[in-house]
């Protein structure tokens, strides 16, 4: 058996300085997308993420919260992992810099560098930014002594510090960058780094005596290791670089492809300090560096500590994970900044996902049922438009791979949606509804519908890295066995026969943009605790009962509540302009799939509440006893009809 090539991908390790926002989530998602793509391509992949848990800021925020620093970071690490689970991030390891496996490596490296005199003791005098934990020169802070990175005031400090001899390696690094043109991407960032080196590198202060929450320097324990030297080491400490048998390190660090993904804010640390550390330690530089731009809000950059950022949970809980994954990847162009705007999110979801992609699936499956009894095979009865669609499909696969191989999934998605548009156009060109009227055109009709379903199958494979759940659902609708949806099977004609499902529930329901924008503005109410146990209620008069507005509703979608095991979140059509979201404690008795399509009775004038973070705008009627629960169902009435 051929040995697979390896692909090792890393995110920055995040500071536990606040709730992660869509900016941090972007990097993590981007890495997940590339990992999934490379796995599909046959690479043996390894994906590392984690937390950067030391430093003055962490110490201070734990003190403010009145908890020991370790408890503080433990809690944030758990919350972070929960977010990655919610986002379906397939990481292989989660490194935390407070772990022993990491600390030992940092301490050993520090002592080694000290011994070989690449680290030396000196004094630092300069303008120190508490927030960035960095010293700056007089020129950098300007007349107002403002931190050039974050804009906060700096303090003049003098302290004893160890230094790493950056200057000694400046020329070697410069040459390395010149000799490896694809080391830093995009090219504009590479030029920035070269210019920075050309300006002259000062030795880097790599220890602190002003706080304790860090890894102690073994030979001089009043010093803790400066966060960047500590943090950067994570990329190899997680691979067990100093283990007796460093399997992971040998396999992935010294493997075929290593990619560090970072935001442009931390480019310098990864493009200068990290390679110099590796050179000094005589460890091969095997990685490539991709620095992406920032997601901005209309009023500027998001910040974890300043608050006011956009959080992924809001969008995922309301619109589903894949809509969010799609938007985040699609909207940030390679290497530049992008805007995260709720209105653009809603419009993209409507246009690209509900209209173009969702409709192609709905229409194609519906036509196979309506005109062909649910089965479609390849037929030798061509139309004038087949070749163009097939060419587009082949071209899309090539262009998509080219974009993905260049680490540009936004461009790859654009290619997929060109194919989706082409397939929609093919429906208009071939007019299956006209062909269906003419018996003699039966084979042509079947050939047309085959083209559509087969294109959808390939589209499904192309969407796996970004929208894995939707791809899986699509394969289910057209009965394309998931195990056969491989990198190689992205060619027209790979599956000659399909039996499609009778009915498709829209993957992405159309959103009422105006209403959703209003809803997104409303601050989420505090999560209510589970409803109080009901006691037997007192007798009421008929007038009291008349106050309850009971209506017929149809459950059009349903999913498990992210933060409460017993709750399901249903979308219920009451015949109103927009469907309602209703949260019910019924998950022990019904799966979300069983709920979809049920005609239920809804208490329509119940005051909306928020249950564990999900808004509930009504209540479903159900009967229950000690053992079981049954949702009350109707048969023939229509959504909105009243129940008395
Ligand atoms: O810098 N848009 O951690 P951090 C896109 N611990 N990406 C953004 C973003 C935005 N608006 N805001 C943040 C650290 N990011 C260090 C890293 S690595 C050895 C140590 C992303 O919690 C981006 O990738 O401040 C950025 O580099 C990272 O979050 C910073 O995370």
């Amino acid at each position: 058996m051929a040995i697979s090539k390896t692909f090792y991908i890393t995110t920055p390790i995040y500071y536990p300085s606040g709730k992660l926002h869509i900016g941090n989530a972007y990097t993590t998602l981007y890495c997940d997308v590339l990992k999934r793509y490379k796995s599909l391509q046959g690479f043996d992949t390894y994906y590392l993420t984690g937390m950067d848990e030391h430093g003055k800021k962490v110490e201070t925020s734990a003190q403010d919260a009145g908890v020991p620093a370790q408890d503080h970071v433990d809690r944030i690490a758990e919350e972070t992992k929960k977010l990655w689970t919610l986002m379906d991030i397939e990481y292989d390891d989660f490194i935390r810099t407070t772990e022993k496996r990491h600390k030992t490596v940092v301490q050993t490296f520090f002592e080694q560098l000290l011994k070989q005199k690449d680290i030396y003791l000196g004094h630092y005098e300069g303008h120190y930014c508490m927030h960035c934990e960095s010293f700056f020169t007089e020129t950098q802070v300007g007349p107002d002594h403002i931190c050039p990175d974050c804009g906060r005031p700096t303090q003049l400090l003098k302290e004893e510090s160890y230094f790493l001899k950056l200057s000694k390696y400046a020329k070697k690094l410069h040459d390395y960058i010149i000799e490896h043109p694809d080391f830093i991407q995009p090219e504009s960032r590479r030029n920035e780094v070269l210019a920075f080196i050309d300006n002259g590198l000062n030795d880097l202060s790599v220890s602190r005596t002003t706080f304790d929450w860090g890894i102690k320097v073994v030979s001089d324990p009043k010093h803790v290791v400066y966060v960047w030297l500590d943090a950067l080491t994570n990329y190899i400490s997680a691979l067990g670089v100093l283990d007796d048998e460093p399997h992971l390190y040998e396999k992935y660090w010294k493997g075929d492809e290593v990619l560090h993904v970072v935001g442009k804010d931390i480019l310098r640390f990864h493009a200068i300090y990290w390679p110099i550390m590796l050179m000094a330690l005589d460890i091969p530089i095997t990685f490539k560096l991709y620095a992406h731009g920032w997601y901005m809000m209309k009023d500027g950059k998001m910040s974890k500590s300043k608050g006011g950022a956009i959080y992924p949970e809001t969008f995922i809980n309301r619109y589903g994970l894949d809509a969010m994954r799609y938007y985040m990847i699609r909207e940030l162009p390679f290497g530049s900044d992008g805007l995260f705007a709720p209105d653009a999110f809603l419009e993209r979801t409507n246009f690209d996902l509900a209209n173009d992609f969702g409709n192609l699936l709905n229409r194609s499956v519906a036509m196979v049922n309506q005109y062909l009894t649910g089965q479609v095979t390849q037929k030798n009865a061509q139309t004038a438009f087949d070749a163009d669609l097939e060419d587009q499909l082949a071209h899309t696969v090539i262009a998509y791979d080219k974009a993905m191989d260049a680490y540009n999934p936004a461009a790859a998605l654009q290619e997929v949606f060109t194919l989706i548009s082409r397939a929609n156009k093919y429906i208009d060109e071939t007019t299956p509804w006209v062909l269906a009227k003419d018996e003699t055109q039966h084979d042509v009709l079947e050939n047309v519908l085959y083209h559509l379903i087969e294109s959808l199958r390939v589209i499904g494979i192309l969407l796996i890295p970004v929208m894995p759940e939707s791809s899986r659902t699509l394969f289910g609708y057209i009965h394309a066995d998931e195990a056969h949806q491989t990198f190689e099977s992205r060619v027209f004609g790979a599956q000659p026969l399909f039996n499609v499902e009778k009915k498709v529930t829209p993957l992405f329901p159309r959103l009422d943009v105006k209403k959703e924008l209003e809803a997104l503005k409303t601050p989420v109410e505090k999560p209510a605790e589970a409803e109080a146990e009901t006691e037997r209620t007192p007798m009421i008069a008929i007038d009291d009962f008349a106050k309850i507005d009971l209506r017929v509703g149809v459950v059009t979608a349903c999913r498990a509540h992210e933060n409460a095991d017993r709750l399901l979140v249903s979308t219920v059509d009451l015949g109103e302009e927009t469907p309602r979201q209703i949260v019910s404690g019924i998950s022990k008795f019904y799966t979300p799939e069983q709920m979809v399509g049920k005609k239920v009775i809804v208490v329509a004038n119940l005051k909306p509440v928020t249950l564990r973070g999900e808004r509930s705008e009504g209540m479903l009627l159900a009967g229950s006893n000690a053992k079981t629960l049954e949702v009350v169902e109707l048969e023939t009435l229509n959504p909105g009809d009243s129940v008395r």
Side-chain angles (χ1 to χ4, degrees):
M1 210 179 85
I3 297 175
S4 318
K5 285 188 164 186
T6 59
F7 178 65
Y8 175 41
I9 187 161
T10 66
T11 71
I13 47 174
Y14 302 104
Y15 289 129
S17 50
K19 199 169 150 55
L20 295 183
H21 52 64
I22 56 129
N24 314 113
Y26 171 78
T27 318
T28 311
L29 174 62
Y30 173 94
C31 292
D32 185 63
V33 168
L34 285 192
K35 176 204 156 128
R36 286 175 192 261
Y37 169 73
K38 289 282 184 183
S39 301
L40 200 67
Q41 205 177 10
F43 277 71
D44 174 341
T45 60
Y46 200 78
Y47 175 4
L48 175 71
T49 186
M51 302 281 298
D52 186 359
E53 301 186 336
H54 291 128
K56 176 78 186 152
K57 258 182 288 174
V58 182
E59 192 178 70
T60 312
S61 55
Q63 277 159 2
D64 290 349
V67 290
Q70 189 63 52
D71 292 2
H72 180 68
V73 295
D74 285 351
R75 182 181 60 76
I76 298 184
E78 279 320 301
E79 275 171 20
T80 304
K81 285 184 188 168
K82 264 195 212 147
L83 176 60
W84 301 153
T85 306
L86 176 71
M87 293 183 63
D88 201 4
I89 304 296
E90 287 191 336
Y91 58 85
D92 295 285
D93 193 2
F94 189 97
I95 179 102
R96 300 178 53 190
T97 52
T98 51
E99 286 175 90
K100 188 162 181 294
R101 60 171 171 156
H102 173 76
K103 285 186 191 171
T104 318
V105 175
V106 172
Q107 286 179 326
T108 312
F109 282 167
F110 198 99
E111 293 303 314
Q112 182 186 328
L113 293 171
L114 201 58
K115 208 166 138 206
Q116 70 194 43
K117 300 199 168 44
D118 276 322
I119 285 182
Y120 63 91
L121 187 63
H123 274 92
Y124 202 96
E125 191 168 1
H127 298 270
Y128 186 68
C129 171
M130 259 267 289
H131 181 80
C132 300
E133 284 162 7
S134 297
F135 278 102
F136 296 99
T137 60
E138 192 71 37
T139 343
Q140 285 172 311
V141 296
D144 297 329
H145 297 171
I146 295 296
C147 167
D149 283 351
C150 74
R152 291 177 173 81
T154 56
Q155 299 163 265
L156 199 59
L157 271 189
K158 180 172 180 181
E159 68 168 351
E160 184 185 275
S161 169
Y162 285 96
F163 288 86
L164 176 68
K165 281 188 188 159
L166 292 189
S167 43
K168 175 175 159 190
Y169 293 94
K171 163 107 182 45
K172 202 171 163 192
L173 176 64
H174 191 277
D175 292 349
Y176 183 87
I177 297 174
I178 298 294
E179 282 156 23
H180 298 82
D182 61 352
F183 172 49
I184 301 167
Q185 295 176 48
E187 204 180 331
S188 54
R189 301 279 172 221
R190 176 173 176 265
N191 297 336
E192 246 174 59
V193 172
L194 285 172
F196 193 87
I197 301 173
D198 289 343
N199 260 341
L201 293 182
N202 294 324
D203 290 349
L204 176 72
S205 153
V206 289
S207 76
R208 295 284 183 271
T209 51
T210 43
F211 60 87
D212 277 339
W213 184 242
I215 300 177
K216 293 224 174 318
V217 172
V218 178
S219 54
D220 190 356
K222 69 174 182 297
H223 287 258
V224 293
V225 178
Y226 172 53
V227 279
W228 277 101
L229 197 131
D230 168 355
L232 290 162
T233 306
N234 92 87
Y235 299 126
I236 48 178
S237 68
L239 297 179
V241 57
L242 296 180
D243 288 358
D244 292 340
E245 290 180 5
H247 297 302
L248 292 174
Y249 170 76
E250 288 294 329
K251 180 171 180 185
Y252 293 110
W253 187 258
K254 295 191 177 171
D256 298 287
E257 202 171 338
V258 181
L259 181 65
H260 291 324
V261 180
V262 297
K264 63 179 184 181
D265 47 328
I266 54 174
L267 170 70
R268 203 192 324 147
F269 303 95
H270 285 80
I272 297 177
Y273 306 162
W274 180 225
I276 287 185
M277 276 169 67
L278 291 170
M279 282 173 179
L281 290 163
D282 203 19
I283 290 176
I285 299 169
T286 53
F287 68 91
K288 281 192 242 167
L289 187 62
Y290 168 56
H292 62 72
W294 281 339
Y295 255 125
M296 313 290 280
M297 299 197 299
K298 279 192 177 132
D299 47 3
K301 187 185 178 252
M302 260 169 263
S303 151
K304 259 189 282 181
S305 39
K306 276 186 259 168
I310 296 179
Y311 301 104
E313 292 93 336
T314 316
F315 287 80
I316 295 170
N317 291 339
R318 207 168 167 91
Y319 309 110
L321 176 58
D322 277 359
M324 183 64 174
R325 287 179 62 113
Y326 175 73
Y327 181 83
M328 285 174 73
I329 293 298
R330 179 75 177 76
E331 206 63 23
L332 200 65
F334 188 74
S336 333
D337 292 344
L339 197 65
F340 195 103
D343 48 346
F345 172 91
L346 296 168
E347 260 145 32
R348 266 218 182 282
T349 307
N350 274 347
F351 289 129
D352 296 4
L353 301 181
N355 281 7
D356 290 356
F357 174 42
N359 268 345
L360 177 64
L361 175 65
N362 299 349
R363 289 167 84 191
S364 306
V365 170
M367 289 192 290
V368 176
N369 281 307
Q370 197 180 344
Y371 305 138
L372 296 179
T373 70
Q375 192 180 79
V376 62
T377 57
Q378 199 164 9
K379 278 276 176 309
N380 198 9
Q382 276 127 17
T383 73
F385 309 102
D386 299 356
D388 196 54
L389 177 62
E390 288 171 32
D391 285 353
Q392 178 65 56
L393 187 144
H395 167 83
T396 295
V397 172
I398 293 168
Y400 169 99
D401 285 349
K402 195 166 161 217
M404 282 291 203
D405 289 336
Y407 308 138
N408 189 351
L413 273 184
Q414 221 165 329
E415 299 295 339
V416 183
F417 277 77
T418 305
L419 175 60
I420 290 174
S421 297
R422 182 65 195 88
N424 275 319
K425 186 167 159 225
Y426 177 82
I427 301 183
D428 300 336
E429 289 165 343
T430 55
T431 57
W433 49 94
V434 176
L435 297 172
K437 289 194 187 124
D438 182 351
E439 260 303 303
T440 64
Q441 297 292 302
H442 181 274
D443 280 6
V444 179
L445 172 66
E446 185 157 358
N447 161 69
V448 165
L449 298 185
Y450 174 79
H451 270 78
L452 290 172
I453 302 289
E454 176 64 349
S455 302
L456 275 163
R457 185 187 64 79
V458 175
I459 289 164
I461 307 178
L462 297 176
L463 289 178
I464 289 175
V466 179
M467 301 201 283
E469 190 55 43
S470 304
S471 293
R472 219 168 288 139
T473 312
L474 180 154
F475 296 143
Y477 282 136
I478 62 172
H479 289 202
D481 182 2
E482 241 188 285
H484 293 127
Q485 307 320 314
T486 60
F487 202 71
E488 291 71 31
S489 76
R490 302 171 309 161
V491 282
F492 188 83
Q495 180 165 338
L497 181 147
F498 295 92
N499 283 299
V500 303
E501 282 289 302
K502 289 260 161 306
K503 213 172 158 286
V504 167
T505 310
L507 290 176
F508 302 96
R510 255 196 89 79
L511 302 167
D512 179 334
V513 175
K514 222 171 120 200
K515 217 166 166 178
E516 290 304 323
L517 280 176
E518 272 313 304
L520 286 171
K521 268 190 224 149
T522 323
V524 185
E525 293 168 39
K526 280 228 153 42
E529 284 312 315
E531 307 95 299
E533 288 293 321
T534 48
E535 289 173 15
R536 189 153 283 289
T537 43
M539 301 291 274
I540 56 163
I542 186 78
D543 290 350
D544 289 322
F545 180 68
K547 286 183 199 156
I548 304 173
D549 183 11
L550 296 176
R551 304 242 159 226
V552 179
V554 173
V555 180
T556 54
C558 183
R559 60 184 163 82
H561 192 298
E562 197 50 49
N563 304 317
D565 286 344
R566 56 183 210 96
L567 300 181
L568 291 186
V569 184
S570 307
T571 307
V572 185
D573 177 5
L574 290 186
E576 299 164 331
E577 204 181 318
T578 32
R580 303 224 192 161
Q581 172 164 299
I582 298 181
V583 180
S584 340
I586 55 174
S587 71
K588 253 169 65 191
F589 309 98
Y590 293 94
T591 63
E593 290 74 17
Q594 286 169 327
M595 288 302 295
V596 175
K598 278 198 193 311
K599 252 184 201 170
V600 292
I601 301 180
V602 175
V603 182
N605 61 337
L606 198 65
K607 221 168 137 196
V609 288
T610 300
L611 294 172
R612 301 221 171 230
E614 289 283 0
R615 193 166 166 80
S616 185
E617 307 158 308
M619 187 170 94
L620 307 186
L621 291 196
S624 67
N625 60 24
K627 286 204 195 92
T628 189
L629 174 145
E630 241 177 86
V631 169
V632 181
E633 283 187 77
L634 293 163
E635 269 176 42
T636 44
L637 290 172
N638 291 317
D641 288 351
S642 70
V643 179
R644 278 170 288 153

